Every structure is written in C-alpha cells, then in structure tokens.
C-alpha cells in the first residue's frame, strides 16, 4: 500500500509543468541523418527503422527504470510497430506537444527521469516526423488523450474516458518515402528485445506473443552467447549503477559487450576502455602479489569474454544512433552562482568509477574462489609466450618490407581517415573513409583511377592469402600480405585505431575471386571479429552485366536485372558479361564506388558460432558444403545465359 501511495505521488509529480519546450521540428524530414543516422531499408542493424523502434521502446524502458510498469507489449510486422507500456502515461495535456515539438519532454527534469537513454528530447518526435502514420494514446486514471499524425503533421486529437490501465500506446509505420523498400529483419528486432531483458531484471517484454525475461541479468546474456565452455565459470559482479560479467576462453581476442542506461553501445566508448583497463590492472596487481608474476595487460585481456552495463546521468553518445559513449564523467551539471556566474560541477570519471569497482570486487572474488587462480594464470602465460614469439616474427617481416619499400607499392592511401581529428568541414570524409582490398594489378589499377582520393584507399593483395582457419597463428604471423594489411588498417595494437570506417573486399565475380573473398573474410572472423560485429567489413557489389543499345546503358547486378533491362531496351541490345574488375573501365567503375555504391555488410549475429561458420566454409570439404554450393551458386553457363 505504501508503495502504491508513493507511485501515485510520483505520477502526480510528473505533470504538464514538467514538459519543457525548446524548439520546433520542421527540419527533421529534411535532414533525418542528423537525428537517426543512416536511413536504409532494414538490411543493416544500424538502419534508421531500428532506431525508430528503439526510441519508442526506450521511453517504456525508462518508465520501468523509474519504478512504473513491469511489462511492455510489442508487435512488429514487416512495416508497422506497436508498443504498449504500463507506466505513468504522458501527461494528458502534453501528448501532442511531447510527440511533435523538438526538445520537448519530461526527461529534461532530473526528478522525473534520472538515468535515461533518450535525454536529447528528440526520439519520439523524430519517429513521428519520419513515419507515414504515427498514433499515440496516453492512459491516466480513467481518461486518455490521443493524437494521430501523418509525416509529422497533426491530423486528429482528442480525449475520452477509458478503462485501460495507466500507460502509453504508440503505433507507427515508418515512411517509405524515407526508408525506401524497407522491411524489419526480425533477427535484429529479437536481439534488441533480448538485450533489454538482460539489462532489466524483472521486466517482461512480449514481442509478437513471445515473452522475454531474464532472472540473472548479464550473466544470462554471456551464458546464452557462449559457443563453448569457458576456462572458468563466469564471474558476476553487481553494484549500484554497474554490472559486470567476466570469463576467459581460448580465442585470439577479447569480446566484451557494453551497455549504457540500457543502450547497447556497439562501438564501445569510455566505459569499454575503462573495463578493459580495470580488469588488466586488477589481475596484474593480483598475480604480482600472489605469485610474483608481472603480466602485460595485452596477455591478460587475450581471450577475455564479458559484458559491462553502467547507469549514468545525462550520457553523451557520439552520433545520433548512440552506439559509442563519449561521456568522461558519471554526471556533469551546470551550476549557477548567486551572482549569476556559471560553472560545471563534475562527478567522478567513468574510468575511476569502473576501476574502483573492479579493483575491490574482482580482487575479493579471486581470493574467495581460489580454484580460478591457476586456471587463469595458465591462460595468461600461454598468451604471453605466443605473443612474444609472434611479435618477433612480425617485426622481422615489417623490417624486411620497409627495406624493399613494398608497403608503398601495395597501399594507395587516401587523405582523410577514420578516428582522426578532421579539418573543419571535412568531418564527413572520415565517416566515408574506405579501403578497398583487391587482388592483382589490373583490378587495383582500375579502382585506383576511379576512386575518390579524399576518402578511398586501395590495398592490393598478391595472389590468394593463406587459409587462416587451417594454419597456426605463427604461420599467419609470418604471412607478408596479412601483416601489411593489418598495418594499413592501423589495428596492430587496438581496434580503436582503425583508419577506415569501411573495409571493402573487392574481388572478381569468378571462382578465384569468390575464394579470395572467403579467405579474407575468414581472416577477419578469426582474428578481428569485432571489426565484423561493429559493421566495418563489407563486400563490394559490382555489376555482372552491361546491357545497352544506341540510346541507353544499364548495369545489372543479377540475372533478373539483366532480363528486365533487355525487355526495357527492346531492340539492338548488346550484352557484356563482366567476370573481372579489370574488364570494367575506370570511367565506368567510378559510378560503382561513388554515392550509389552497393555494399553487402558481412554480418555476425549473436546466435552464430564463429568456429562453426569457419569450419563449414573453410574446413574440410563435406557433403553439406557441396550441397549448399549447388543450391546457392550459379554456374558460369547459367550466368552467361547458355541453355544446358
């Protein structure tokens, strides 16, 4: 009863006076990228339709975080979303304003929303503006207020009595003028909802009739993601505003999932850097004390698997899609002195907060669970020995290449790079920065002449790289081609030093080209899977056919496109079949790597086991793989249109 009275009081305190207006929204439709990042059609998990879904669900999650509503009902079909929560509901006099006027909402009032994801007051307004239809209804104490919008324009509003429980209902259909040919990929949607359940113990999220609920938080997330037994049972540490899970496997890299206020920060940020540093420092100090061993941080992190979730006030995310935390402090507030002067009051740094928590709790855990200590030490020692051996090999390779000047011959670099401070007005160049990985002088020459030298680099492989799946790590380290590639990418020491936002594998559309493509993808999956997880690795689509008559030329990427082009151009049609990149002139090729460049992202879902994937595609030949190839690949005769 006392809890109910408190919640009623909180509901009363969350009134129309808490809704603050800063400015209008008319420019959202003109410049949607400012608010949701990319548009897209739903093929990529970073596409705008998933940002729209997330913004609405975030509002319901924030209600749960404040203690209101233990269930959220979500339905998603190919084109439309509904979200119903059982929180306090939007103040009835502010439903239209809260959904249509930019920077209007209750989240500017810290007493109402303390640690929210959507603190910029943009989310629901952007969803409204970018939806062909947007309906919202708020239920509060037997009365509701509703509003219907079309592409951000109010069409209908009103109030009525209701028997519905308190909360908010939203139904929206993304605008197909913005998101051309879009379709929700349920794999991405399910992953989003599952992450919410891991982060909000006690909350039930019902997606299309399937309930998602976690009893153990991030521990459930890690256990669900493990493809094989870790070296020791995951360590689960929970504190105020922080939760961490940690274990080790025998992979060649660390894999830590990170969250801030329920947001999956796929590109990391200050909290991810902090946990990697804190674990390495704590374990380094621990082993120096108990076994007199002084281990390097990189050896401690090798094979580390884990997750971190923190809650902070008014987080600063880099980019509108909020996938990288930029905040350095747990909170920052402007303070106005009696004389009118202003200053900024800052809380502890995120680095200090995470480090202090890990230092105390992880150290205590290891002293209690002593059986873990020798297992982990054996792993670290093995990583140290391998690292030193490989470092020597790589050093010799780099010195040899430097003497022969081979690096300069293989990389045609661009002017502006990812993760570099850009000159004013050149910030977008860093986001567009790409490196094309190709094979042979002909193909690399074509792309080099066709590229934009401001943001497109070319790296030329010599022949087929080795099959990393079958070879030892030592053998891979001795490979000149792959050493030079990693040097070009800038990720020898840290993925955060990646020099290009897009790594584009550009190979010929023949058997050899496909094989080279698979070898390069295998290399990234085995040694740099986070580059794949973060959406940096792509396959370049190039046209298979040129169909032309005297008046028009069409480039076709499939047999179906070719047939449609033949019918459209009708008479005097000439068809050219492209098998190699070098067969396409650089003048033509500039169209294929310009603004309309077609890229297939190499995707790695949470459900997929990297080892099993590589075993299937790059392991010993099997009947299953033969059947897969027969079912999915066109023969040269079929592509050339020869009747069999």
């Amino acid at each position: 009863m006392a809890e109910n009275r408190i919640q009623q009081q909180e509901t009363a305190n969350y009134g129309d006076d808490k809704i603050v207006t800063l400015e209008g929204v008319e420019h959202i439709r003109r410049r949607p990228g400012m608010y949701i990042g990319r548009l897209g059609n739903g093929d990529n998990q970073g596409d705008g339709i998933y940002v729209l879904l997330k913004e609405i669900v975030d509002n319901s999650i924030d209600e749960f975080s404040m203690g209101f509503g233990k269930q959220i009902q979500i339905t998603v079909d190919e084109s439309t979303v509904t979200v119903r929560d059982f929180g306090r509901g939007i103040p009835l006099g502010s439903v239209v304003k809260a959904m249509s006027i930019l920077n209007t909402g209750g989240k500017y009032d810290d007493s109402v929303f303390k640690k929210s994801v959507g603190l910029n007051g943009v989310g629901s307004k952007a969803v409204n503006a970018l939806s062909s239809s947007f309906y919202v209804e708020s239920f509060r104490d037997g009365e509701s207020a509703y509003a219907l919008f079309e592409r951000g324009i109010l069409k209908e509003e009103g109030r009525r009595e209701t028997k519905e429980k308190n909360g908010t209902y939203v139904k929206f259909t993304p605008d197909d003028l913005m998101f051309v040919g879009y379709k929700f990929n349920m794999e991405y949607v399910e992953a989003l909802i599952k992450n919410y359940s891991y982060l909000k113990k006690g909350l039930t999220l019902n997606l299309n009739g399937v309930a998602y609920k976690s009893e153990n938080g991030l521990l459930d997330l890690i256990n669900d993601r493990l493809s094989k037994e870790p070296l020791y049972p995951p360590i689960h540490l929970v504190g105020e505003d922080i939760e961490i899970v940690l274990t080790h496997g025998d992979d060649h890299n660390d894999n830590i999932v990170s969250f801030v206020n329920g947001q999956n920060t796929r590109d990391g940020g200050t909290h991810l850097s902090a946990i990697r540093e804190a674990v390495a420092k704590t374990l380094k100090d621990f082993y120096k004390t108990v076994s007199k061993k002084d281990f390097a941080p990189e050896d401690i992190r090798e094979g580390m698997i884990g997750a971190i979730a923190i809650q902070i006030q008014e987080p600063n995310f880099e980019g509108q899609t909020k996938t990288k935390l930029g905040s350095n402090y747990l909170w920052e507030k402007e303070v106005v002195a009696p004389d009118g002067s202003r200053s900024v009051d800052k809380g502890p740094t995120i680095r200090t907060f995470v480090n202090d928590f890990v230092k105390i709790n992880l150290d205590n855990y290891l002293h209690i669970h002593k059986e873990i200590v020798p297992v982990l030490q054996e792993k670290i020692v093995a990583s140290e020995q391998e690292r030193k051996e490989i470092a020597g090999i790589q050093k010799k390779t780099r010195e040899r290449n430097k003497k022969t000047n081979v690096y300069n011959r293989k990389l045609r670099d661009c002017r502006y790079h990812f993760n570099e401070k850009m000159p004013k007005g050149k910030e977008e160049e860093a986001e567009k920065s790409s490196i094309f990985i190709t094979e042979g002088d002909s193909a690399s020459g074509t792309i080099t002449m066709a590229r934009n030298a401001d943001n497109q680099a070319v790296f030329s492989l010599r022949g087929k790289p080795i099959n990393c799946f079958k070879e030892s790590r030592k053998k891979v380290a001795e490979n000149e081609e792959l050493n030079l590639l990693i040097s070009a990418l800038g990720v020898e020491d840290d993925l955060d030093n990646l020099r290009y936002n897009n790594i584009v594998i550009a190979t010929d559309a023949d058997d050899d080209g496909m094989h080279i493509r698979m070898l390069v993808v295998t290399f990234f999956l085995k040694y740099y899977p986070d580059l794949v997880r973060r959406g940096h690795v792509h396959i370049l689509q190039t046209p298979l056919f040129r169909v032309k008559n005297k008046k028009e030329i069409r480039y076709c990427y499939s047999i179906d496109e070719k047939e449609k082009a033949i019918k459209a151009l009708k008479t005097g049609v000439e068809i050219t079949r492209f098998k190699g990149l070098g067969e396409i002139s650089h003048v033509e090729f500039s169209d294929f790597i310009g603004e309309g460049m077609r890229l297939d992202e190499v995707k790695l879902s949470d459900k997929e086991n990297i080892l099993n994937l590589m075993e299937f595609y790059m392991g010993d030949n099997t009947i299953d793989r033969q059947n897969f190839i027969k079912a999915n690949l066109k023969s040269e005769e079929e592509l050339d249109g020869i009747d069999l």
Side-chain angles (χ1 to χ4, degrees):
M1 294 295 292
E3 182 182 352
N4 288 339
R5 286 196 297 273
I6 292 172
Q7 290 201 354
Q8 288 172 0
Q9 182 63 42
E10 286 289 337
T11 301
N13 291 340
Y14 177 35
D16 293 323
D17 62 319
K18 298 293 186 182
I19 303 297
V20 181
T21 301
L22 301 183
E23 59 180 73
V25 297
E26 53 274 1
H27 57 294
I28 291 179
R29 288 183 61 84
R30 293 183 183 179
R31 304 191 70 180
M34 291 178 60
Y35 302 94
I36 64 166
R38 60 190 295 163
L39 288 172
N41 64 1
D43 286 345
N44 187 291
Q45 61 183 332
D47 284 350
I49 59 172
Y50 304 109
V51 179
L52 303 189
L53 166 63
K54 188 184 165 306
E55 291 288 356
I56 299 302
V57 176
D58 278 344
N59 292 335
S60 299
I61 294 290
D62 289 336
E63 282 294 306
F64 171 79
S65 298
M66 293 298 295
F68 303 94
K70 294 183 179 180
Q71 183 180 143
I72 302 172
Q73 298 173 349
I74 305 161
T75 64
V76 180
D77 61 25
E78 292 185 358
S79 61
T80 300
V81 174
T82 67
V83 178
R84 170 69 158 104
D85 68 43
F86 298 90
R88 291 163 291 181
I90 304 166
L92 300 185
S94 301
V95 168
V96 172
K97 185 167 65 172
M99 293 293 166
S100 60
I101 300 180
L102 189 64
N103 295 322
T104 299
K107 296 178 185 178
Y108 294 105
D109 190 298
D110 283 346
S111 67
V112 182
F113 292 93
K114 297 183 184 297
K115 290 165 184 169
S116 167
V117 173
L119 281 168
N120 56 12
V122 172
S124 55
K125 274 70 68 177
V127 181
N128 182 6
L130 299 175
S131 295
S132 57
S133 174
F134 182 95
Y135 177 84
V136 56
E137 186 164 7
S138 176
F139 308 100
R140 285 174 71 117
D141 304 324
E143 188 178 3
S144 79
Y146 64 90
L148 173 65
F149 300 83
E150 293 179 3
R151 297 185 170 91
I153 299 173
L154 180 64
K155 295 295 183 180
E156 184 182 346
E157 65 173 311
R159 291 200 186 192
R160 53 192 170 205
E161 293 183 356
T162 182
K163 294 183 179 180
E164 287 276 350
K165 294 181 180 180
N166 283 5
T168 304
Y169 172 85
V170 173
K171 180 178 182 179
F172 70 92
T173 301
D175 188 355
D176 57 7
L177 296 179
M178 294 285 182
F179 310 97
V180 179
Y182 77 89
K183 177 181 177 181
F184 282 99
N185 182 322
M186 290 309 298
E187 185 177 310
Y188 297 152
V189 175
E190 288 167 10
L192 174 68
I193 301 306
K194 284 181 72 174
N195 282 340
Y196 277 129
S197 70
Y198 294 130
L199 293 161
K200 299 296 177 181
K201 289 182 287 187
L203 173 64
T204 299
L205 297 111
N206 191 301
L207 172 63
N208 292 349
V210 178
Y212 295 88
K213 185 177 182 180
S214 172
E215 300 295 340
N216 302 297
L218 291 185
L219 181 60
D220 287 340
L221 180 149
I222 292 301
N223 283 330
D224 287 350
R225 288 191 173 198
L226 287 172
S227 57
K228 54 186 175 181
E229 283 294 314
L231 298 180
Y232 56 89
I235 299 169
H236 191 196
L237 306 174
V238 181
E240 184 176 357
D241 294 332
I242 186 169
E243 181 179 2
I244 289 171
V245 177
L246 174 70
T247 186
H248 278 76
D250 55 9
D251 291 337
H252 298 295
N253 48 78
D254 63 55
N255 180 13
I256 303 176
V257 190
S258 62
F259 301 88
V260 175
N261 295 8
Q263 164 66 34
N264 183 359
T265 41
R266 186 162 48 95
D267 292 324
T270 50
H271 59 320
L272 180 58
S273 299
I275 183 66
R276 296 174 79 237
E277 179 183 311
V279 169
K281 186 177 187 305
T282 299
L283 291 179
K284 180 182 177 72
D285 292 344
F286 176 85
Y287 281 109
K288 193 181 291 186
T289 300
V290 301
S291 60
K292 310 304 179 186
K293 298 287 187 180
D294 189 10
F295 295 122
E298 56 264 43
D299 299 322
I300 294 171
R301 288 193 293 262
E302 181 85 359
M304 190 164 69
I305 303 165
I308 178 174
I310 64 171
Q311 300 284 323
I312 65 177
Q313 290 193 26
E314 300 194 21
N316 171 36
F317 294 99
E318 295 182 6
Q320 290 297 325
T321 52
K322 304 174 186 172
T323 56
K324 186 174 183 179
L325 179 66
S327 301
N328 289 313
Y329 300 93
L330 291 182
W331 47 265
E332 294 183 66
K333 288 186 178 180
E334 187 177 55
V335 178
V336 181
D339 63 359
S341 61
R342 297 173 181 270
S343 61
V344 177
D345 185 21
K346 298 178 180 179
T349 66
I350 291 172
R351 178 183 176 187
T352 300
F353 171 64
V354 173
N355 186 72
D356 289 350
F357 176 79
V358 171
K359 180 180 180 180
I360 295 171
N361 290 278
L362 180 56
D363 187 82
N364 288 344
Y365 191 96
L366 292 174
H367 277 96
I368 296 170
H369 299 83
K370 296 180 180 179
E371 70 280 3
I372 292 176
V373 176
V375 176
L376 181 52
Q377 180 170 327
E378 184 180 351
K379 163 64 179 174
I380 297 171
V381 169
S383 297
E384 179 183 54
Q385 291 173 343
E386 186 180 50
R387 174 182 60 82
K388 289 180 177 179
E389 183 179 8
I390 290 172
I393 295 170
Q394 290 176 329
K395 182 180 179 180
K396 290 178 182 178
T397 303
R398 281 194 292 269
E399 288 175 351
R400 184 176 69 250
N401 290 334
K402 190 180 292 185
K403 288 179 181 178
T404 59
N405 204 29
V406 67
Y407 183 77
N408 292 334
R409 296 201 305 270
K410 297 185 72 63
L411 176 69
R412 284 88 165 184
D413 209 353
C414 54
R415 295 185 181 90
Y416 306 112
H417 299 98
F418 196 51
N419 287 324
E420 283 186 7
K421 189 175 181 180
M422 290 290 102
K424 190 173 182 180
K426 294 293 183 180
E427 293 82 4
E428 288 188 8
E429 300 296 335
E431 292 296 318
K432 293 178 181 178
S433 61
S434 303
I435 182 169
F436 294 94
I437 302 172
T438 189
E439 188 273 327
D441 294 336
S442 178
S444 63
T446 298
I447 297 179
T448 299
M449 288 188 287
R451 68 174 177 145
N452 179 340
D454 278 349
N455 52 43
Q456 292 179 328
V458 182
F459 183 89
S460 177
L461 291 170
R462 186 181 70 244
K464 294 179 182 178
I466 65 172
N467 185 346
C468 296
F469 177 67
K470 292 184 176 182
E471 298 292 351
S472 67
R473 195 176 185 193
K474 178 181 177 182
K475 189 74 173 178
V476 173
E478 293 172 340
N479 185 267
E480 178 183 277
E481 297 292 299
L482 296 180
N483 266 311
L484 290 169
L485 174 59
I486 293 309
S487 179
L489 295 176
V491 294
E492 297 112 315
D493 300 318
D494 196 323
L495 293 189
D496 288 342
N497 296 330
L498 179 66
R499 301 177 71 236
Y500 311 94
N501 193 16
N502 301 305
I503 301 169
V504 183
I505 303 169
T507 58
D508 290 342
D510 57 15
D511 292 345
D512 282 344
M514 295 298 175
H515 191 200
I516 293 170
R517 176 186 302 180
M518 289 304 301
L519 291 169
V520 176
V521 169
T522 299
F523 170 69
F524 284 118
L525 285 175
K526 187 167 183 178
Y527 294 109
Y528 297 92
D530 272 0
L531 290 178
V532 178
R533 291 190 182 100
R534 295 179 184 182
H536 292 299
V537 183
H538 306 267
I539 305 295
L540 176 67
Q541 285 190 38
T542 53
L544 292 173
F545 308 98
R546 179 177 59 213
V547 179
K548 68 176 184 178
N549 59 19
K550 292 182 178 180
K551 296 182 179 180
E552 186 178 350
I553 298 176
R554 294 193 183 186
Y555 296 98
C556 308
Y557 292 76
S558 67
I559 295 175
D560 288 342
E561 287 188 19
K562 179 189 74 170
E563 296 303 323
K564 289 178 181 177
I566 292 171
K567 290 179 181 178
L569 299 185
K570 295 179 181 178
T571 58
V573 171
E574 179 185 324
I575 304 170
T576 302
R577 161 81 161 97
F578 297 122
K579 296 182 181 180
L581 302 184
E583 296 178 0
I584 307 174
S585 74
H586 71 274
V587 176
E588 289 178 295
F589 211 91
S590 61
D591 294 332
F592 312 139
I593 59 173
E595 291 297 324
M597 178 167 55
R598 296 194 193 185
L599 296 177
D600 288 331
E601 182 184 336
V602 179
K603 300 173 184 176
L604 187 62
S605 74
D606 295 339
K607 299 177 182 178
E608 288 176 320
N609 180 319
I610 295 177
L611 185 63
N612 290 345
L613 277 174
M614 291 192 293
E615 176 66 49
F616 181 82
Y617 289 107
M618 304 306 292
D620 294 333
N621 200 5
T622 64
I623 294 298
D624 287 343
R625 186 165 71 187
Q626 291 175 26
N627 290 337
F628 173 83
I629 293 172
K630 289 176 182 177
N632 290 276
L633 296 182
K634 298 283 187 184
S635 68
E636 286 296 313
E637 288 80 5
E638 289 176 294
L639 288 173
D640 290 333
I642 299 172
D643 293 330
L644 300 177

